[in-house]
Amino acid sequence: MVTRRRSGPRQRGQAAVEYVGVLTLLLLVALAVAQLGIAVYAAQQAGTAARTAARVASTEGQTGRAGAVARESMSGWLADGASVTEETGGEAVTVQVRVSIPSLLPVLSFGSVEKSATMPRD
């Protein structure tokens, strides 16, 4: 005669372990996607700030205001850690903006992004 073993309680425990494993993986993927979005947003904000600051700095009488204008054109949480450099040449003004990329996990560092824009002087 063949006896059958019940597999009920053991299967339920296995399903819980698999659920935790899949949930952890999905959480890591979601964090990676969110971090990528933050990095892209920081790059976009740096580019916008560089163009705006270069446009203002290229007009007559506005030299030296690039830093303030660049920070005003960015989101506040990114503008706090931004650095702005302005180079005035003969016929053009170049503004470089460097923004550090915020991290969702404080253990990791994603560096910074730098964008520049050049506008002709008016």
Side-chain angles (χ1 to χ4, degrees):
M1 174 182 257
V2 177
T3 60
R4 289 187 165 175
R5 285 182 22 205
R6 290 184 61 195
S7 61
R10 299 184 97 186
Q11 291 297 321
R12 277 187 276 167
Q14 180 181 357
V17 169
E18 289 175 359
Y19 179 73
V20 168
V22 169
L23 189 62
T24 303
L25 182 64
L26 287 176
L27 182 63
L28 286 174
V29 169
L31 280 172
V33 168
Q35 183 64 55
L36 178 64
I38 289 172
V40 169
Y41 182 71
Q44 181 270 333
Q45 287 286 293
T48 299
R51 282 190 305 277
T52 304
R55 190 174 304 119
V56 169
S58 68
T59 59
E60 191 171 331
Q62 298 295 320
T63 305
R65 291 198 54 226
V69 171
R71 287 181 182 83
E72 289 173 9
S73 65
M74 293 178 12
S75 295
W77 57 281
L78 286 174
D80 294 337
S83 65
V84 181
T85 58
E86 176 183 353
E87 297 174 13
T88 304
E91 296 183 11
V93 175
T94 301
V95 176
Q96 291 184 337
V97 178
R98 180 183 295 261
V99 176
S100 60
I101 299 173
S103 177
L104 289 175
L105 299 173
V107 183
L108 302 175
S109 174
F110 293 97
S112 61
V113 61
E114 184 175 317
K115 297 287 183 171
S116 65
T118 302
M119 295 283 178
R121 294 179 73 63
D122 284 343

